[in-house]
Amino acid sequence: MSAKAQFLKKLQEHQPRSGTFDSRYEADIAEFCQRMEQLQEQIAEWLTETGIQIEYTVVPVVELLASGTPFNVPGIVLVWGNRKIKFTPLFLYGQGVTGCVEVSLCVDRDTTAQSRLFMRSGESTEWTWQKIGTTSGQRKVFCEDAFFGMIDGLLA
């Protein structure tokens, strides 16, 4: 982790949270929603002047490892002609991560899962990602280059 990332992590830990939560579960839900909103903003910035349309969705997620009560998380759909890339929140807890988002290519009525983003994984508090079908040890930091590699299917 870079010095800047470590500094920003410490800064975030020292800032008061915007709300008071009764449990770690509630705090993690709030963070997942906030981080997805930030991801929406980042993606919109990356796509400036590309002509790719961005649709914002709300995805109900049921966390079976906690309360089993559904909660809503922001989602993202990128549209280019008859092709879409969907960033769909899947779960809050599982596979040694907190906050999982599936990235899928949709062409007409066919949907193919391509990769997954993880809000927190292991020691990393930054978004990480991996291609579907690879082992968990192969997660990489999610960045602008990774993003454009993920959405390349829009132009195929």
PDB file of all heavy atoms in Angstrom, residues 11-12 17 21 23 25 38 53-55 64 67 72 75 82 84 88 96 98 102 116 125 140 154:
ATOM      1  N   LEU A  11      -6.661   8.781   7.904  1.00  0.00           N
ATOM      2  CA  LEU A  11      -7.523   9.956   7.957  1.00  0.00           C
ATOM      3  C   LEU A  11      -8.988   9.549   8.037  1.00  0.00           C
ATOM      4  O   LEU A  11      -9.752  10.079   8.847  1.00  0.00           O
ATOM      5  CB  LEU A  11      -7.284  10.829   6.727  1.00  0.00           C
ATOM      6  CG  LEU A  11      -8.119  12.106   6.618  1.00  0.00           C
ATOM      7  CD1 LEU A  11      -7.786  13.058   7.762  1.00  0.00           C
ATOM      8  CD2 LEU A  11      -7.869  12.781   5.274  1.00  0.00           C
ATOM      9  N   GLN A  12      -9.384   8.575   7.234  1.00  0.00           N
ATOM     10  CA  GLN A  12     -10.771   8.103   7.240  1.00  0.00           C
ATOM     11  C   GLN A  12     -11.140   7.498   8.592  1.00  0.00           C
ATOM     12  O   GLN A  12     -12.231   7.702   9.094  1.00  0.00           O
ATOM     13  CB  GLN A  12     -10.985   7.081   6.127  1.00  0.00           C
ATOM     14  CG  GLN A  12     -12.417   6.608   5.998  1.00  0.00           C
ATOM     15  CD  GLN A  12     -12.588   5.599   4.873  1.00  0.00           C
ATOM     16  OE1 GLN A  12     -11.653   4.937   4.465  1.00  0.00           O
ATOM     17  NE2 GLN A  12     -13.807   5.483   4.383  1.00  0.00           N
ATOM     18  N   ARG A  17     -17.964   9.125  11.808  1.00  0.00           N
ATOM     19  CA  ARG A  17     -18.898   8.573  10.826  1.00  0.00           C
ATOM     20  C   ARG A  17     -20.121   9.456  10.759  1.00  0.00           C
ATOM     21  O   ARG A  17     -20.491  10.100  11.726  1.00  0.00           O
ATOM     22  CB  ARG A  17     -19.298   7.147  11.205  1.00  0.00           C
ATOM     23  CG  ARG A  17     -18.116   6.213  11.111  1.00  0.00           C
ATOM     24  CD  ARG A  17     -18.579   4.792  11.180  1.00  0.00           C
ATOM     25  NE  ARG A  17     -17.416   3.946  11.019  1.00  0.00           N
ATOM     26  CZ  ARG A  17     -17.380   2.893  10.253  1.00  0.00           C
ATOM     27  NH1 ARG A  17     -18.437   2.537   9.591  1.00  0.00           N
ATOM     28  NH2 ARG A  17     -16.303   2.169  10.153  1.00  0.00           N
ATOM     29  N   PHE A  21     -24.265   3.792  14.489  1.00  0.00           N
ATOM     30  CA  PHE A  21     -24.765   2.473  14.121  1.00  0.00           C
ATOM     31  C   PHE A  21     -24.811   1.582  15.343  1.00  0.00           C
ATOM     32  O   PHE A  21     -23.954   1.654  16.217  1.00  0.00           O
ATOM     33  CB  PHE A  21     -23.858   1.851  13.046  1.00  0.00           C
ATOM     34  CG  PHE A  21     -23.728   2.725  11.830  1.00  0.00           C
ATOM     35  CD1 PHE A  21     -22.579   3.474  11.614  1.00  0.00           C
ATOM     36  CD2 PHE A  21     -24.755   2.823  10.915  1.00  0.00           C
ATOM     37  CE1 PHE A  21     -22.462   4.297  10.507  1.00  0.00           C
ATOM     38  CE2 PHE A  21     -24.641   3.641   9.804  1.00  0.00           C
ATOM     39  CZ  PHE A  21     -23.494   4.377   9.599  1.00  0.00           C
ATOM     40  N   SER A  23     -24.594  -1.671  15.167  1.00  0.00           N
ATOM     41  CA  SER A  23     -23.775  -2.869  14.974  1.00  0.00           C
ATOM     42  C   SER A  23     -22.765  -2.655  13.854  1.00  0.00           C
ATOM     43  O   SER A  23     -22.894  -1.731  13.041  1.00  0.00           O
ATOM     44  CB  SER A  23     -24.674  -4.054  14.609  1.00  0.00           C
ATOM     45  OG  SER A  23     -25.255  -3.854  13.330  1.00  0.00           O
ATOM     46  N   TYR A  25     -22.503  -4.605  11.416  1.00  0.00           N
ATOM     47  CA  TYR A  25     -23.270  -4.929  10.221  1.00  0.00           C
ATOM     48  C   TYR A  25     -23.882  -3.664   9.612  1.00  0.00           C
ATOM     49  O   TYR A  25     -23.756  -3.414   8.416  1.00  0.00           O
ATOM     50  CB  TYR A  25     -24.345  -5.953  10.590  1.00  0.00           C
ATOM     51  CG  TYR A  25     -25.342  -6.270   9.509  1.00  0.00           C
ATOM     52  CD1 TYR A  25     -24.951  -6.893   8.328  1.00  0.00           C
ATOM     53  CD2 TYR A  25     -26.690  -5.961   9.664  1.00  0.00           C
ATOM     54  CE1 TYR A  25     -25.869  -7.187   7.335  1.00  0.00           C
ATOM     55  CE2 TYR A  25     -27.612  -6.261   8.687  1.00  0.00           C
ATOM     56  CZ  TYR A  25     -27.201  -6.870   7.520  1.00  0.00           C
ATOM     57  OH  TYR A  25     -28.100  -7.166   6.538  1.00  0.00           O
ATOM     58  N   GLN A  38     -19.391   6.486  -4.415  1.00  0.00           N
ATOM     59  CA  GLN A  38     -18.096   7.025  -4.821  1.00  0.00           C
ATOM     60  C   GLN A  38     -17.605   6.369  -6.109  1.00  0.00           C
ATOM     61  O   GLN A  38     -17.028   7.031  -6.975  1.00  0.00           O
ATOM     62  CB  GLN A  38     -17.064   6.842  -3.703  1.00  0.00           C
ATOM     63  CG  GLN A  38     -17.331   7.695  -2.486  1.00  0.00           C
ATOM     64  CD  GLN A  38     -16.471   7.299  -1.293  1.00  0.00           C
ATOM     65  OE1 GLN A  38     -15.846   6.244  -1.271  1.00  0.00           O
ATOM     66  NE2 GLN A  38     -16.463   8.153  -0.282  1.00  0.00           N
ATOM     67  N   GLN A  53     -23.195   5.718 -22.057  1.00  0.00           N
ATOM     68  CA  GLN A  53     -24.234   6.155 -21.129  1.00  0.00           C
ATOM     69  C   GLN A  53     -24.085   5.429 -19.801  1.00  0.00           C
ATOM     70  O   GLN A  53     -23.736   4.247 -19.767  1.00  0.00           O
ATOM     71  CB  GLN A  53     -25.619   5.885 -21.699  1.00  0.00           C
ATOM     72  CG  GLN A  53     -25.924   6.653 -22.959  1.00  0.00           C
ATOM     73  CD  GLN A  53     -27.266   6.256 -23.539  1.00  0.00           C
ATOM     74  OE1 GLN A  53     -28.006   5.447 -22.997  1.00  0.00           O
ATOM     75  NE2 GLN A  53     -27.593   6.831 -24.686  1.00  0.00           N
ATOM     76  N   ILE A  54     -24.376   6.152 -18.729  1.00  0.00           N
ATOM     77  CA  ILE A  54     -24.331   5.564 -17.391  1.00  0.00           C
ATOM     78  C   ILE A  54     -25.735   5.609 -16.809  1.00  0.00           C
ATOM     79  O   ILE A  54     -26.385   6.658 -16.814  1.00  0.00           O
ATOM     80  CB  ILE A  54     -23.377   6.344 -16.467  1.00  0.00           C
ATOM     81  CG1 ILE A  54     -21.978   6.412 -17.066  1.00  0.00           C
ATOM     82  CG2 ILE A  54     -23.353   5.710 -15.086  1.00  0.00           C
ATOM     83  CD1 ILE A  54     -21.043   7.330 -16.318  1.00  0.00           C
ATOM     84  N   GLU A  55     -26.199   4.457 -16.346  1.00  0.00           N
ATOM     85  CA  GLU A  55     -27.483   4.376 -15.651  1.00  0.00           C
ATOM     86  C   GLU A  55     -27.197   3.976 -14.212  1.00  0.00           C
ATOM     87  O   GLU A  55     -26.362   3.097 -13.960  1.00  0.00           O
ATOM     88  CB  GLU A  55     -28.391   3.334 -16.306  1.00  0.00           C
ATOM     89  CG  GLU A  55     -28.750   3.662 -17.739  1.00  0.00           C
ATOM     90  CD  GLU A  55     -29.549   2.549 -18.422  1.00  0.00           C
ATOM     91  OE1 GLU A  55     -29.784   1.482 -17.788  1.00  0.00           O
ATOM     92  OE2 GLU A  55     -29.913   2.735 -19.593  1.00  0.00           O
ATOM     93  N   LEU A  64     -27.479 -13.177   4.008  1.00  0.00           N
ATOM     94  CA  LEU A  64     -27.883 -14.349   4.786  1.00  0.00           C
ATOM     95  C   LEU A  64     -26.964 -14.605   5.974  1.00  0.00           C
ATOM     96  O   LEU A  64     -27.361 -15.244   6.939  1.00  0.00           O
ATOM     97  CB  LEU A  64     -27.944 -15.579   3.878  1.00  0.00           C
ATOM     98  CG  LEU A  64     -28.966 -15.467   2.741  1.00  0.00           C
ATOM     99  CD1 LEU A  64     -28.879 -16.685   1.834  1.00  0.00           C
ATOM    100  CD2 LEU A  64     -30.371 -15.303   3.292  1.00  0.00           C
ATOM    101  N   SER A  67     -28.479 -10.580   9.088  1.00  0.00           N
ATOM    102  CA  SER A  67     -29.877 -10.546   9.515  1.00  0.00           C
ATOM    103  C   SER A  67     -30.832 -11.214   8.547  1.00  0.00           C
ATOM    104  O   SER A  67     -31.944 -11.560   8.927  1.00  0.00           O
ATOM    105  CB  SER A  67     -30.312  -9.090   9.697  1.00  0.00           C
ATOM    106  OG  SER A  67     -30.449  -8.458   8.447  1.00  0.00           O
ATOM    107  N   ASN A  72     -30.815  -1.929   0.297  1.00  0.00           N
ATOM    108  CA  ASN A  72     -30.560  -1.456  -1.060  1.00  0.00           C
ATOM    109  C   ASN A  72     -29.158  -0.887  -1.189  1.00  0.00           C
ATOM    110  O   ASN A  72     -28.695  -0.157  -0.317  1.00  0.00           O
ATOM    111  CB  ASN A  72     -31.581  -0.392  -1.460  1.00  0.00           C
ATOM    112  CG  ASN A  72     -32.957  -0.971  -1.629  1.00  0.00           C
ATOM    113  OD1 ASN A  72     -33.111  -2.103  -2.082  1.00  0.00           O
ATOM    114  ND2 ASN A  72     -33.978  -0.214  -1.269  1.00  0.00           N
ATOM    115  N   GLY A  75     -26.187   0.513  -7.765  1.00  0.00           N
ATOM    116  CA  GLY A  75     -25.559  -0.263  -8.828  1.00  0.00           C
ATOM    117  C   GLY A  75     -25.280   0.628 -10.013  1.00  0.00           C
ATOM    118  O   GLY A  75     -25.700   1.796 -10.044  1.00  0.00           O
ATOM    119  N   ASN A  82     -26.310  -1.968 -28.145  1.00  0.00           N
ATOM    120  CA  ASN A  82     -27.067  -3.079 -27.564  1.00  0.00           C
ATOM    121  C   ASN A  82     -26.259  -3.819 -26.493  1.00  0.00           C
ATOM    122  O   ASN A  82     -26.651  -4.894 -26.055  1.00  0.00           O
ATOM    123  CB  ASN A  82     -27.515  -4.053 -28.654  1.00  0.00           C
ATOM    124  CG  ASN A  82     -26.352  -4.833 -29.258  1.00  0.00           C
ATOM    125  OD1 ASN A  82     -25.201  -4.383 -29.231  1.00  0.00           O
ATOM    126  ND2 ASN A  82     -26.643  -5.996 -29.794  1.00  0.00           N
ATOM    127  N   LYS A  84     -24.227  -3.847 -22.668  1.00  0.00           N
ATOM    128  CA  LYS A  84     -24.204  -3.238 -21.340  1.00  0.00           C
ATOM    129  C   LYS A  84     -23.139  -3.921 -20.498  1.00  0.00           C
ATOM    130  O   LYS A  84     -22.891  -5.114 -20.650  1.00  0.00           O
ATOM    131  CB  LYS A  84     -25.555  -3.411 -20.631  1.00  0.00           C
ATOM    132  CG  LYS A  84     -26.705  -2.713 -21.302  1.00  0.00           C
ATOM    133  CD  LYS A  84     -27.992  -2.947 -20.544  1.00  0.00           C
ATOM    134  CE  LYS A  84     -29.146  -2.250 -21.255  1.00  0.00           C
ATOM    135  NZ  LYS A  84     -30.403  -2.418 -20.527  1.00  0.00           N
ATOM    136  N   THR A  88     -23.142  -5.022 -10.401  1.00  0.00           N
ATOM    137  CA  THR A  88     -24.260  -5.423  -9.564  1.00  0.00           C
ATOM    138  C   THR A  88     -23.773  -5.878  -8.186  1.00  0.00           C
ATOM    139  O   THR A  88     -23.065  -6.886  -8.085  1.00  0.00           O
ATOM    140  CB  THR A  88     -25.028  -6.590 -10.226  1.00  0.00           C
ATOM    141  OG1 THR A  88     -25.380  -6.213 -11.559  1.00  0.00           O
ATOM    142  CG2 THR A  88     -26.272  -6.943  -9.434  1.00  0.00           C
ATOM    143  N   GLY A  96     -14.070 -14.233   2.444  1.00  0.00           N
ATOM    144  CA  GLY A  96     -13.004 -13.445   3.043  1.00  0.00           C
ATOM    145  C   GLY A  96     -13.008 -11.982   2.643  1.00  0.00           C
ATOM    146  O   GLY A  96     -11.989 -11.306   2.768  1.00  0.00           O
ATOM    147  N   THR A  98     -15.487  -8.116   2.272  1.00  0.00           N
ATOM    148  CA  THR A  98     -16.665  -7.341   2.643  1.00  0.00           C
ATOM    149  C   THR A  98     -17.037  -6.511   1.433  1.00  0.00           C
ATOM    150  O   THR A  98     -16.224  -5.728   0.944  1.00  0.00           O
ATOM    151  CB  THR A  98     -16.377  -6.425   3.851  1.00  0.00           C
ATOM    152  OG1 THR A  98     -15.930  -7.225   4.935  1.00  0.00           O
ATOM    153  CG2 THR A  98     -17.618  -5.651   4.261  1.00  0.00           C
ATOM    154  N   GLU A 102     -20.499  -7.851  -8.770  1.00  0.00           N
ATOM    155  CA  GLU A 102     -20.215  -8.625  -9.982  1.00  0.00           C
ATOM    156  C   GLU A 102     -20.261  -7.705 -11.196  1.00  0.00           C
ATOM    157  O   GLU A 102     -21.148  -6.867 -11.323  1.00  0.00           O
ATOM    158  CB  GLU A 102     -21.229  -9.745 -10.146  1.00  0.00           C
ATOM    159  CG  GLU A 102     -20.896 -10.680 -11.301  1.00  0.00           C
ATOM    160  CD  GLU A 102     -21.727 -11.933 -11.259  1.00  0.00           C
ATOM    161  OE1 GLU A 102     -22.882 -11.884 -11.744  1.00  0.00           O
ATOM    162  OE2 GLU A 102     -21.234 -12.934 -10.715  1.00  0.00           O
ATOM    163  N   ARG A 116     -15.186  -9.729 -10.570  1.00  0.00           N
ATOM    164  CA  ARG A 116     -15.796  -9.254  -9.334  1.00  0.00           C
ATOM    165  C   ARG A 116     -14.915  -8.197  -8.700  1.00  0.00           C
ATOM    166  O   ARG A 116     -13.692  -8.293  -8.736  1.00  0.00           O
ATOM    167  CB  ARG A 116     -16.004 -10.405  -8.353  1.00  0.00           C
ATOM    168  CG  ARG A 116     -17.131 -11.321  -8.791  1.00  0.00           C
ATOM    169  CD  ARG A 116     -17.523 -12.267  -7.719  1.00  0.00           C
ATOM    170  NE  ARG A 116     -18.747 -12.970  -8.126  1.00  0.00           N
ATOM    171  CZ  ARG A 116     -19.269 -13.965  -7.462  1.00  0.00           C
ATOM    172  NH1 ARG A 116     -18.687 -14.392  -6.351  1.00  0.00           N
ATOM    173  NH2 ARG A 116     -20.376 -14.539  -7.875  1.00  0.00           N
ATOM    174  N   THR A 125      -8.104  -2.094   2.075  1.00  0.00           N
ATOM    175  CA  THR A 125      -9.360  -1.361   2.226  1.00  0.00           C
ATOM    176  C   THR A 125      -9.751  -0.675   0.924  1.00  0.00           C
ATOM    177  O   THR A 125     -10.782  -0.028   0.849  1.00  0.00           O
ATOM    178  CB  THR A 125      -9.248  -0.292   3.337  1.00  0.00           C
ATOM    179  OG1 THR A 125      -8.189   0.602   3.001  1.00  0.00           O
ATOM    180  CG2 THR A 125      -9.004  -0.936   4.686  1.00  0.00           C
ATOM    181  N   LYS A 140      -6.335  -7.986  -7.600  1.00  0.00           N
ATOM    182  CA  LYS A 140      -5.496  -6.845  -7.951  1.00  0.00           C
ATOM    183  C   LYS A 140      -6.204  -5.564  -7.551  1.00  0.00           C
ATOM    184  O   LYS A 140      -7.432  -5.531  -7.453  1.00  0.00           O
ATOM    185  CB  LYS A 140      -5.234  -6.834  -9.454  1.00  0.00           C
ATOM    186  CG  LYS A 140      -4.525  -8.072  -9.951  1.00  0.00           C
ATOM    187  CD  LYS A 140      -4.478  -8.093 -11.460  1.00  0.00           C
ATOM    188  CE  LYS A 140      -3.935  -9.434 -11.918  1.00  0.00           C
ATOM    189  NZ  LYS A 140      -4.262  -9.732 -13.281  1.00  0.00           N
ATOM    190  N   LEU A 154     -17.713  -3.805 -24.189  1.00  0.00           N
ATOM    191  CA  LEU A 154     -18.723  -2.913 -24.757  1.00  0.00           C
ATOM    192  C   LEU A 154     -18.460  -2.659 -26.241  1.00  0.00           C
ATOM    193  O   LEU A 154     -19.377  -2.431 -27.018  1.00  0.00           O
ATOM    194  CB  LEU A 154     -18.714  -1.555 -24.035  1.00  0.00           C
ATOM    195  CG  LEU A 154     -19.439  -1.460 -22.707  1.00  0.00           C
ATOM    196  CD1 LEU A 154     -19.242  -0.086 -22.104  1.00  0.00           C
ATOM    197  CD2 LEU A 154     -20.925  -1.773 -22.840  1.00  0.00           C
TER     198      LEU A 154
END
